[in-house]
Amino acid sequence: MNMHSPAPQQSPVVLKTCTLLISHFRNLREHGGGGFHTRLFSHMLHPEHQYVFAGRSITVDQTTPTHPEHVVPCAVLISECQRMIGEDAPDAQIAALLAKHWKVATITKAEQQRLDFELGLKSKMPPGWRFEDGDTLARFHAANIYLAGQPSPVV
């Protein structure tokens, strides 16, 4: 079980790494580079939980099988960065948004199954979500996953 403390919001190392990633993405686009592998994130800041840990599900306990999960799927992070690069947004703006949304959390295996297969949110966010102003936790909230120490939405 992962009992790490949440990482500080937009720490300097995370923001610098995001800036480097945006520069890399832009360079590949400008020079006809290939695709981007979603595992890029886990290699850039390793281990991720030391840098971008958002918390653990309130349903995790000592006996629960767990799964590390990107709060916003890596495929979404990459496609949204690519979209904003294509719109010629400033690198600093894109990097700040990437730093905001690049989070990992510890959830249960059952919660992972619900996200990925029951709700079909393995590699996408809920309808209407926007990179520029969307709630990073929207995907988890759609699956009724709440992180310890995070406010749950009023129903």
Side-chain angles (χ1 to χ4, degrees), residues 79-137:
S79 67
E80 289 297 317
C81 289
Q82 289 284 71
R83 177 185 60 79
M84 290 187 75
I85 289 168
E87 293 170 357
D88 212 24
D91 287 3
Q93 178 189 7
I94 305 168
L97 288 167
L98 180 57
K100 173 188 172 188
H101 294 302
W102 180 7
K103 304 288 180 225
V104 294
T106 301
I107 64 174
T108 68
K109 293 279 189 183
E111 289 169 333
Q112 177 206 8
Q113 293 293 308
R114 188 164 61 248
L115 270 175
D116 292 358
F117 303 109
E118 291 175 32
L119 298 176
L121 297 175
K122 181 178 178 72
S123 59
K124 62 185 180 180
M125 292 297 283
W129 184 84
R130 290 176 22 96
F131 193 57
E132 289 87 340
D133 55 19
D135 178 6
T136 302
L137 295 169

Side-chain angles (χ1 to χ4, degrees), residues 18 21-26 28-29 33-44 48 70-87 94-95 97-99 101-103 123-125 129 131:
C18 290
L21 283 168
I22 299 308
S23 178
H24 176 64
F25 294 166
R26 189 177 293 277
L28 287 176
R29 274 180 68 98
F36 304 89
H37 199 289
T38 57
R39 294 190 191 249
L40 173 68
F41 293 100
S42 62
H43 293 284
M44 291 299 292
E48 281 179 293
H70 283 94
V71 180
V72 174
C74 294
V76 172
L77 296 175
I78 290 171
S79 67
E80 289 297 317
C81 289
Q82 289 284 71
R83 177 185 60 79
M84 290 187 75
I85 289 168
E87 293 170 357
I94 305 168
L97 288 167
L98 180 57
H101 294 302
W102 180 7
K103 304 288 180 225
S123 59
K124 62 185 180 180
M125 292 297 283
W129 184 84
F131 193 57

